[in-house]
Amino acid sequence: MLNAHIITIVNQKGGSGKTTLTMLLAGALADTYAKVLVADTDPQNSSMFWANRSAHFPAEVKDFSQAPEKLTKRIGKRIEECEFILIDCPPHASAPATENALAISHLALIPLNPSPLDLHASLDIRETIAKATPPSRPVWYSTRPSLKHA
């Protein structure tokens, strides 16, 4: 029986590299023979597009963009089938899919472009993560090479 590690890739800014990070990480994990599910919660379905353009993408990629209020239940049904579940979120910090994904995640990855404008546009996601994360799980973010506790 497997018990998936759930990793959410999130940023409120579009074009920050969420799908690229999700798919590269999924491919790398699946290439090590791990069973990986990518849950594409963005209505643009960029992860689905990426996987469908590949002759053989090594991870399973499914559309989870419909009924975001049921995301927790739908992911829960797959948690014992996978070693990793990667959730590619839409570019909205307060979207139901984003909030639900963060509530069930073990880890949130926030891709950032190295520019002041991109960093500023991404600050609200910290609040969303803190709101969705139980107090027993620390939230870390980095704006410089050193880590700071949120």
Side-chain angles (χ1 to χ4, degrees):
M1 175 171 67
L2 301 173
N3 198 7
H5 299 281
I6 301 173
I7 302 171
T8 296
I9 297 80
V10 61
N11 191 326
Q12 74 180 31
K13 188 175 181 321
S16 63
K18 293 180 298 296
T19 298
T20 300
L21 178 58
T22 299
M23 298 304 280
L24 291 175
L25 183 56
L29 290 168
D31 280 345
T32 66
Y33 304 103
K35 180 137 173 74
V36 179
L37 169 66
V38 173
D40 190 348
T41 65
D42 188 345
Q44 287 185 339
N45 288 126
S46 298
S47 292
M48 293 290 298
F49 178 78
W50 183 312
N52 291 334
R53 302 272 306 178
S54 171
H56 175 71
F57 190 72
E60 179 182 4
V61 182
K62 292 288 185 186
D63 180 3
F64 279 70
S65 64
Q66 303 300 314
E69 68 280 357
K70 296 181 181 179
L71 180 66
T72 302
K73 185 176 183 178
R74 291 178 68 198
I75 294 290
K77 290 180 180 180
R78 303 294 308 273
I79 202 162
E80 292 184 2
E81 301 171 15
C82 303
E83 293 173 77
F84 295 93
I85 297 175
L86 306 181
I87 305 174
D88 186 14
C89 288
H92 306 289
S94 60
T98 301
E99 291 177 347
N100 290 333
L102 289 168
I104 60 172
S105 292
H106 298 103
L107 177 66
L109 300 178
I110 308 167
L112 290 172
N113 292 314
S115 77
L117 291 176
D118 286 316
L119 179 59
H120 178 70
S122 301
L123 291 177
D124 287 345
I125 198 64
R126 255 189 356 188
E127 294 172 22
T128 303
I129 292 171
K131 197 172 15 171
T133 305
S136 61
R137 289 193 293 182
V139 176
W140 296 92
Y141 67 94
S142 178
T143 56
R144 296 177 190 209
S146 64
L147 289 177
K148 298 178 182 180
H149 189 274

